[in-house]
């Protein structure tokens, strides 16, 4: 027996409701003869009569009643499936699984997710927060659409796409009553001997901080409290004398309330040290994997947020070619190329 088509089931329901071939055919947008042939084929496949026909009326049989009940259920499910497909295509439904690090989650995600919900409130977003090594494993298992993290230690391979987004400068913070908080300015060496709290940071940054802070009699920069939970780190810093390494963007409330203060480290104000505590953010996904429209929309909103608040590196201006003598004044001054701003969505290997 051949499986009935959705069109045949719809025609069956129309005839059961109208009890009239001409009216049912009109609703189905077919001719009366085409409707009659279609339902005859359905009856032949079932091996049973579904309607009793007479010159005056069309009556549905008990078998036909049961099939009509089932047909309505199937058609309703098909409508639901079609609606779900339309919603998924438009981004109005579906699920997105995103991995975030401590800074990236608090810096880029809140506004991006809020914008996604404002446009597509039915989307379900799952956030997984951890360090990038754990998130990489979860991504490789296919359980994340993409993740955001510091990318200094990450090396792209053939399966991974790394998209640079930009960076934010880091700073040192302490509680308002900390001895260091009373000083308007401190040297990096003044941080020697302090206990530090931080998220997991790249090894190259650890080494640079150690070289900056270490004194002959001290171990330099040593993190004694490490967590991906910035809120927890901030609370510990508020209640103890640990010095917190973080960024303004993730400590807005604590700074506004005066519970934490930013330390003005002399060396970090120098132009040559401007990038010393710069946290570089990136968005990572598996190459070749097709993402849902909702996931793609959220990625675009993350890019827009990165464009708004992150610092993107500037490419150096092209060197001018050597002059071969004085140029005629009639030619005017040569045009000077302006350095292009790196676009936050540019992809590249890290």
């Amino acid at each position: 027996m051949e499986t009935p088509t959705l069109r045949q089931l719809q025609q069956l329901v129309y005839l059961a409701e109208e009890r009239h071939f001409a009216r049912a055919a009109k609703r189905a947008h077919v001719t009366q003869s085409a409707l009659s042939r279609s339902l005859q084929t359905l009856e032949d496949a079932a091996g049973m009569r579904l309607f009793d026909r007479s010159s005056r009326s069309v009556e549905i049989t008990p078998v036909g009643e049961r099939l009509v009940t089932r047909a309505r259920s199937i058609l309703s499910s098909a409508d639901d499936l079609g609606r779900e497909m339309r919603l998924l295509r438009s981004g109005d439904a579906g699920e997105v699984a995103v991995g975030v690090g401590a800074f990236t989650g608090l810096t880029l995600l809140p506004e991006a997710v809020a914008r996604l919900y404002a446009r597509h409130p039915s989307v379900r977003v799952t956030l997984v927060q951890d360090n990038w090594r754990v998130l990489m494993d979860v991504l490789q298992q296919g359980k994340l659409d993409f993740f955001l993290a510091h990318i200094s230690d990450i090396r792209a391979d053939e399966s991974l796409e790394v998209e640079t987004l930009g960076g934010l400068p880091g700073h040192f913070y302490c509680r308002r009553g900390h001895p260091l908080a009373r000083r308007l300015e401190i040297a990096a060496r003044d941080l020697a001997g302090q206990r530090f709290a931080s998220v997991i940071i790249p090894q190259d940054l650890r080494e640079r901080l150690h070289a900056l802070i270490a004194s002959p009699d001290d171990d330099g920069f040593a993190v004694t409290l490490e967590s991906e939970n910035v809120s927890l780190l901030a609370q510990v810093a508020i209640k103890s004398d640990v010095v917190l390494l973080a960024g303004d963007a993730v400590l807005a409330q604590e700074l506004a309330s005066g519970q934490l203060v930013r330390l003005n480290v002399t060396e970090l104000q120098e132009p040559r040290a401007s990038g010393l505590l710069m946290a570089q953010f990136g968005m990572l996904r598996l190459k070749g994997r097709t993402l849902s429209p909702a996931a793609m929309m959220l990625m675009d909103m993350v890019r827009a947020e990165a464009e708004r608040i992150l610092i993107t590196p500037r490419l150096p201006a092209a060197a001018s070619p050597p002059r071969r003598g004085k140029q005629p004044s009639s030619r005017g001054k040569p045009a000077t190329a302006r350095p292009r701003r790196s676009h936050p969505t540019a992809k590249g290997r890290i």
Side-chain angles (χ1 to χ4, degrees), residues 188-193 196 206-222:
R189 296 289 193 214
D190 294 331
L191 292 170
F196 294 96
R206 288 177 183 270
E207 293 172 356
R208 292 199 302 270
L209 287 170
H210 179 79
L212 182 70
I213 296 172
S215 65
D217 302 323
D218 187 78
D219 292 334
F221 179 75

Side-chain angles (χ1 to χ4, degrees), residues 263-323:
L263 296 175
N264 185 15
V265 181
T266 306
E267 289 85 345
L268 298 181
Q269 311 309 314
E270 300 175 3
R272 63 183 179 84
S274 60
L276 179 63
L277 295 186
M278 185 70 69
Q280 296 295 338
F281 296 161
M283 184 157 52
L284 301 94
R285 57 179 290 192
L286 293 179
K287 287 183 179 178
R289 183 182 179 188
T290 301
L291 301 183
S292 68
M296 297 298 289
M297 288 179 184
L298 182 56
M299 290 177 70
D300 283 341
M301 290 170 184
V302 168
R303 293 183 184 109
E305 187 66 4
E307 173 80 9
R308 186 178 71 87
I309 65 174
L310 297 188
I311 299 171
T312 54
R314 293 182 180 274
L315 298 176
S320 301
R323 294 184 134 183

Side-chain angles (χ1 to χ4, degrees), residues 115-167:
R115 291 178 59 198
L116 179 67
Y117 280 148
R119 299 183 187 182
H120 308 285
S122 299
V123 173
R124 179 183 176 185
V125 179
T126 300
L127 300 179
V128 180
Q129 181 174 318
D130 217 314
N131 66 74
W132 73 264
R133 290 181 176 83
V134 173
L135 295 177
M136 185 72 75
D137 289 340
V138 181
L139 180 73
Q140 297 288 355
Q141 294 170 20
K143 297 179 180 179
L144 291 177
D145 293 302
F146 64 93
F147 75 88
L148 305 170
H150 293 175
I151 56 177
S152 300
D153 285 346
I154 300 177
R155 298 293 179 267
D157 56 33
E158 293 182 354
S159 67
L160 186 65
E161 185 175 300
V162 181
E163 180 177 335
T164 58
L165 297 175

Side-chain angles (χ1 to χ4, degrees), residues 70-146:
R70 181 60 64 87
R72 285 195 175 104
S73 176
I74 293 172
L75 290 170
S76 178
S77 296
D79 286 342
D80 289 343
L81 178 60
R83 178 177 179 275
E84 184 72 13
M85 291 173 66
R86 291 191 297 273
L87 290 174
L88 289 170
R89 185 169 58 249
S90 67
D92 286 332
E95 299 183 358
V96 184
V98 185
V100 292
F103 284 178
T104 54
L106 290 172
T107 304
L108 298 176
L109 255 294
E111 183 65 26
V113 172
R115 291 178 59 198
L116 179 67
Y117 280 148
R119 299 183 187 182
H120 308 285
S122 299
V123 173
R124 179 183 176 185
V125 179
T126 300
L127 300 179
V128 180
Q129 181 174 318
D130 217 314
N131 66 74
W132 73 264
R133 290 181 176 83
V134 173
L135 295 177
M136 185 72 75
D137 289 340
V138 181
L139 180 73
Q140 297 288 355
Q141 294 170 20
K143 297 179 180 179
L144 291 177
D145 293 302
F146 64 93

Side-chain angles (χ1 to χ4, degrees), residues 38 40 52 66-67 85 88 93 96 99 110 121 140 200 202 209 228-229 284 290-291 294 304 340 342:
S38 177
Q40 184 62 57
D52 289 327
R66 292 192 61 180
L67 288 185
M85 291 173 66
L88 289 170
V96 184
Q140 297 288 355
I200 299 174
L209 287 170
E228 289 298 299
N229 189 329
L284 301 94
T290 301
L291 301 183
R340 296 181 60 190
S342 174

